[in-house]
Amino acid sequence: MVEAVIEQFFQVPLNAEKQSELVSSKMTARFLHSWPMEETMGKEVFIKYQREIQEGCPDWNYRAKLWKQKSGEGMPKTVYLVINVCCTHTKQMKILDDVFEPTDPPTNIIMPYELIQIGFNTATSPPLIESYESRKIISAHGCNTGGLAGVPGLLNRLNRPLPPPVTHLLAPVPPFTAPDNRDPNFKLRLQVFKKIAQDSEAKILLDLIKRQKEEIQQYMDYLNAIRNYC
């Protein structure tokens, strides 16, 4: 029974409505990689993404292969699979409030090999999928999505990558007389703000700040790229 559900869930082409029938109303989907931060969503949001992907990439193919099963009472309650998604963006797609028009020639998308864990509610007949967990990237060999999978990989390939996570500074604009021992960059910021207040060549300083921001963004892009291999 479980094998039949898996086969229908990962069928080719992608069928979001069929997936909706195969998952529990309390289903949760967790993505432990690729998104800027760990992402957890319920059935409604998960199926919404699947419908949007199906609309823009109708040939979406999971290329899923069953890897391992953990048995419960009479049937497996947890199934592990490896997927290696490939598809072609051939139709208009609206995802994350952004509209993507197909290009000529169409954009070919190949994602990395990804380990998926599926949890079942075996008390129902047929058993329903209760949890979908994208655990980790196994190999990025041959992919063209920057080592990212799922929605982030799709957006990366379409040249609209997700921004890095928002970070909060403990003391973004500290007064000259207000040291903040929690902030390791306080002394540096203090010097910067004194310089801004005293230097008449503000444009030169602004150019330096812009260059530093670009360098920081490069470092962030690099860290986001390698974290999937950690």
Side-chain angles (χ1 to χ4, degrees), residues 166-174 180 182-183 185 189 193:
V166 176
T167 56
H168 298 281
L169 300 176
L170 293 175
V173 188
D180 186 347
R182 298 170 303 165
D183 185 356
N185 294 320
R189 288 202 199 119
F193 286 114

Side-chain angles (χ1 to χ4, degrees), residues 142-201:
C143 81
N144 57 14
T145 59
L148 304 176
V151 171
L154 189 63
L155 296 177
N156 186 284
R157 177 61 175 150
L158 299 177
N159 298 317
R160 307 269 186 89
L162 290 173
V166 176
T167 56
H168 298 281
L169 300 176
L170 293 175
V173 188
F176 294 160
T177 57
D180 186 347
N181 294 328
R182 298 170 303 165
D183 185 356
N185 294 320
F186 171 76
K187 290 182 178 179
L188 175 61
R189 288 202 199 119
L190 187 60
Q191 293 174 4
V192 169
F193 286 114
K194 281 183 177 179
K195 184 69 175 174
I196 292 174
Q198 298 168 1
D199 196 345
S200 60
E201 300 293 336

Side-chain angles (χ1 to χ4, degrees), residues 41-109:
M41 58 187 72
K43 173 182 177 178
E44 185 177 338
V45 175
F46 177 80
I47 296 299
K48 175 178 178 287
Y49 280 131
Q50 299 301 90
R51 291 191 180 111
E52 292 169 345
I53 291 170
Q54 179 184 339
E55 181 67 27
C57 306
D59 66 341
W60 179 277
N61 186 347
Y62 284 103
R63 297 195 283 190
K65 293 183 179 179
L66 190 62
W67 179 53
K68 187 170 65 175
Q69 301 182 10
K70 286 188 178 180
S71 299
E73 297 179 3
M75 66 174 66
K77 298 184 74 172
T78 306
V79 174
Y80 295 88
L81 304 100
V82 174
I83 64 174
N84 177 216
V85 174
C86 66
C87 63
T88 310
H89 178 217
T90 55
K91 295 185 178 180
Q92 186 188 77
M93 176 173 59
K94 182 178 181 181
I95 192 165
L96 289 176
D97 297 323
D98 214 342
V99 177
F100 298 88
E101 299 291 346
T103 58
D104 186 19
T107 303
N108 178 261
I109 299 163

